[in-house]
Amino acid sequence: SPQVVVRNIEIFSLCEHHLVPFYGRAHIAYLPRGKVVGLSKLARIAELFGRRLQVQERLTKQIAETLMDKLDPHGVGVVLECKHMCMGSRGVQKPNAETITSAMLGNFKTNYSTRNEFLHLTRGPEHSHITGLAYAETIYESGMPRMSVMDRYTDTEVHIERTAEGARLHEEL
């Protein structure tokens, strides 16, 4: 079954350590196992946990575990990207610093391609130019990792193999 992804859900909360706001975006996905909920419910769950005094790490985990528990899906992925006013207004005073947390459960934790698809979708088309990669995948052959990368600009597939002697690079057109 296809991933259900809702991205850029606005989220606001109060830091339990400093009692100042943190805010940002939540990206939530799940792989239904039969039970499907309305898309607004994903945003409501993020809002529900965000209304408490929180730390971002726990907020991320609570959203993921609640969806896993209530929907019994094949997997859940949650990414939060937030700015913390405590970082911008006190102490170190870095207002543009972003904190990113993630929680991957089920297939999102165990299946590389599922996790990679979700993370790619959370970045959106406005960020696809950053790496120029159409895809990247790591497979294991004979116990050794092999990474395949497609360069979207040259349509060249590159294979990087780890051997006993070191890494070896192959290009295929």
Side-chain angles (χ1 to χ4, degrees):
S1 60
Q3 287 187 28
V4 177
V5 180
V6 179
R7 66 184 196 120
N8 295 327
I9 301 167
E10 290 180 345
I11 193 157
F12 300 92
S13 192
L14 280 176
C15 172
E16 72 179 33
H17 296 133
H18 306 104
L19 298 177
V20 293
F22 67 89
Y23 60 94
R25 302 175 302 202
H27 312 292
I28 303 172
Y30 72 101
L31 284 169
R33 188 190 308 262
K35 191 173 188 180
V36 179
V37 295
L39 299 176
S40 67
K41 301 303 182 272
L42 301 179
R44 286 186 194 276
I45 289 171
E47 184 179 347
L48 172 76
F49 288 114
R51 287 187 178 187
R52 305 171 180 179
L53 289 175
Q54 275 289 12
V55 292
Q56 185 175 334
E57 303 84 30
R58 185 180 331 113
L59 177 57
T60 306
K61 185 177 176 183
Q62 286 174 330
I63 294 168
E65 288 178 346
T66 298
L67 288 171
M68 199 71 176
D69 182 51
K70 300 298 181 191
L71 298 180
D72 189 35
H74 291 290
V76 171
V78 177
V79 172
L80 265 58
E81 303 174 51
C82 295
K83 291 187 178 184
H84 293 249
M85 295 299 291
C86 54
M87 287 275 294
S89 62
R90 34 183 330 274
V92 70
Q93 295 186 352
K94 301 295 180 194
N96 292 321
E98 276 192 337
T99 302
I100 300 171
T101 53
S102 69
M104 304 292 167
L105 303 174
N107 283 8
F108 286 87
K109 185 174 186 173
T110 60
N111 186 308
Y112 172 81
S113 61
T114 301
R115 181 175 57 253
N116 193 42
E117 178 184 354
F118 168 59
L119 294 174
H120 177 74
L121 291 171
T122 63
R123 291 171 28 144
E126 67 273 13
H127 291 87
S128 64
H129 67 281
I130 292 173
T131 62
L133 300 179
Y135 70 85
E137 158 181 54
T138 303
I139 55 174
Y140 289 86
E141 294 176 356
S142 304
M144 299 301 268
R146 176 180 175 176
M147 182 175 186
S148 295
V149 179
M150 175 60 87
D151 183 325
R152 78 171 67 246
Y153 300 119
T154 62
D155 285 332
T156 303
E157 187 169 5
V158 178
H159 299 287
I160 305 167
E161 292 183 37
R162 174 104 186 181
T163 66
E165 296 80 37
R168 188 169 49 206
L169 182 66
H170 303 282
E171 287 190 18
E172 297 173 6
L173 297 175

